[in-house]
Amino acid sequence: MADLGFDGKVAIITGAGGGLGRSHALDLARRGALVVVNDLGGASDGTGHSETAAQKVVDEIKAAGGEAVASYDSVATPEGGAAIVETAVDAFGRVDIIVNNAGILRDTSFKNMTPEQVNPVLDVHLRGAFYVTQPAWQRMRDQGYGRIVNTSSAAGIFGNFGQTNYGAAKMGLVGLTRVLAVEGAKNNIKANAIAPVAKTRMTEELFGAAMDQLTPELVTPVVTYLAHEDCSVSGEVYSVGGGRVARVFVGVTPGHYAPELSAEDVRDNLDKIRAEDGYAVPGDLNEEMMLAFKAFSSSSS
Ligand code: NAI
C-alpha cells in the first residue's frame, strides 16, 4: 500500500519545540503537511518563555525541504489558542489537523498539592486543548474535515503517585476526545488520543540511560496515522511507546441487576459486579444506557 501522505494538509502541533511534538512535526512535514510549530519555549514546569525552540524546529523542517511556521503563543489562554489557529490560517489558509501535545509537570503528592500546582497543569493540558481546538472547530465543520489528536497519559488513565493534577488533566482529555468524536462524526472530524511513553526532557530522570529505545520517533507513527485522512477510528485511545502500540478502552462488566438494589446486594455480589468476563465497550453514552435497559427488560420479561 502507498505511504501515508499529507500534501496540502495544514497541521498545528502544540508544544512542538522539543520532545514528542518536535518528532510529530518533523514527520508530518516530511510527508507533505504544512506545519505550525507552536511552542512557548519554557521550562518543564511551565515557567519562562523563549522563541528559540519552535524556531529551531521550523528551521529543521525547512532545511529538509518542508514548509512550516513558528508560533510562540501559550495554549493556556483562550487568546493564545485563537492566535495559534490564526497563525495557521494566515500562513496556510486552513486547519486540518490539531495535535494537542503541549505539556508541563508540577508533581507532588496530593497531601502537598497547592493551587499553583493544580491550575497551570489543568490550564496547559486540559483547557489548552479546548482553547486551541475550539477556534478551529467551526472551520473543520464547514470544510467537512478534521483530525484531532490529544495527548493523554497512563498517569491519568491508570494512576500514578504524585500526579493528581496531571492525571486529572490527562483523563479529562479522554473525555474531551470521546465527546469531540461524537460531535464531529457527521462532519468527518475524527478525534483520538494517545498515551505515550518516550524519553524526553519531561521523563529523562525517570527513565535514565537504560531506556534509550523509548524514542519520540517510536511514538509519532501512531499520531501520524490518527492525523491522516485514512484514519478509520474516532474516540479511541492508544498506548504507545518503544515500538509497542495497543488500544486502551473503557469497558463495562455485565454486572448484577436487582430491581430493589440494596447496599447489602452490592456487598454480596461484588465479585459478580466486578467480573470482567463478557464485558462490553460502549461507543457512547447511549450504548451504555442500552446495556442498562437490556438488564431491566430481560429480568422483567
Ligand atoms: P517536553 O517537555 O519535551 O514537551 C512539552 C513541550 O510543551 C515543551 O517544548 C514546552 O515548551 C511546551 N509547552 C509547555 N507549556 C506550553 C504552553 N502553555 N504553550 C505552548 N507550549 C507549551 O515533553 P514531552 O515528553 O515531549 O511531552 C509531550 C506531551 O506528551 C505532553 O503533553 C506530556 O504530558 C505527554 N506525555 C509524555 C510522556 C512521556 O513519556 N514523555 C508520557 C505521557 C504523556
Side-chain angles (χ1 to χ4, degrees):
M1 272 204 263
D3 287 353
L4 298 173
F6 285 84
D7 283 347
K9 291 281 191 284
V10 177
I12 293 172
I13 299 158
T14 68
L20 289 164
R22 169 181 167 274
S23 170
H24 306 335
L26 291 175
D27 194 49
L28 291 184
R30 185 179 68 76
R31 293 168 181 274
L34 315 172
V35 177
V36 175
V37 176
N38 161 262
D39 206 296
L40 179 74
S44 279
D45 67 356
T47 55
H49 185 251
S50 139
E51 300 188 349
T52 323
Q55 189 56 51
K56 253 177 90 180
V57 175
V58 168
D59 294 345
E60 269 186 272
I61 289 173
K62 287 190 170 162
E67 272 199 65
V69 292
S71 141
Y72 316 111
D73 294 294
S74 172
V75 302
T77 65
E79 299 74 30
I84 294 166
V85 172
E86 249 171 63
T87 300
V89 174
D90 288 350
F92 304 125
R94 53 188 286 133
V95 182
D96 301 291
I97 297 160
I98 297 179
V99 181
N100 287 307
N101 165 82
I104 61 169
L105 283 182
R106 295 198 180 182
D107 294 357
T108 192
S109 63
F110 186 55
K111 161 173 94 66
N112 298 321
M113 188 76 64
T114 64
E116 289 68 40
Q117 286 158 318
V118 175
N119 293 326
V121 168
L122 292 177
D123 285 346
V124 175
H125 292 275
L126 183 55
R127 294 194 183 94
F130 279 86
Y131 298 149
V132 178
T133 308
Q134 214 176 22
W137 187 252
Q138 190 57 44
R139 289 184 166 274
M140 289 181 170
R141 284 168 49 94
D142 292 344
Q143 73 199 14
Y145 188 80
R147 296 286 181 267
I148 294 154
V149 184
N150 291 324
T151 310
S152 182
S153 169
I157 299 172
F158 300 113
N160 194 32
F161 191 93
Q163 296 196 304
T164 46
N165 51 355
Y166 181 79
K170 289 306 202 186
M171 198 57 182
L173 283 167
V174 173
L176 173 65
T177 302
R178 293 194 67 83
V179 178
L180 288 181
V182 171
E183 292 194 15
K186 67 176 183 299
N187 296 111
N188 189 22
I189 304 174
K190 292 183 175 167
N192 291 283
I194 60 161
V197 185
K199 200 169 151 185
T200 63
R201 71 170 188 178
M202 195 182 264
T203 51
E204 60 193 351
E205 281 175 31
L206 189 71
F207 292 140
M211 294 295 186
D212 282 348
Q213 76 271 27
L214 294 175
T215 62
E217 289 72 25
L218 284 174
V219 170
T220 293
V222 176
V223 172
T224 298
Y225 174 72
L226 295 175
H228 195 266
E229 199 167 351
D230 289 357
C231 171
S232 63
V233 295
S234 194
E236 299 200 342
V237 183
Y238 291 88
S239 168
V240 51
R244 165 198 178 255
V245 50
R247 180 178 169 211
V248 177
F249 54 83
V250 179
V252 58
T253 66
H256 169 72
Y257 174 68
E260 308 209 4
L261 188 69
S262 66
E264 291 73 21
D265 279 331
V266 176
R267 176 195 62 200
D268 299 342
N269 291 283
L270 200 57
D271 287 347
K272 183 181 170 201
I273 293 166
R274 297 184 68 249
E276 291 166 16
D277 295 352
Y279 67 83
V281 183
D284 62 11
L285 173 145
N286 293 320
E287 284 185 26
E288 213 265 324
M289 294 288 287
M290 289 307 293
L291 293 172
F293 287 136
K294 244 197 201 151
F296 316 148
S297 52
S298 61
S299 80
S300 57
S301 59

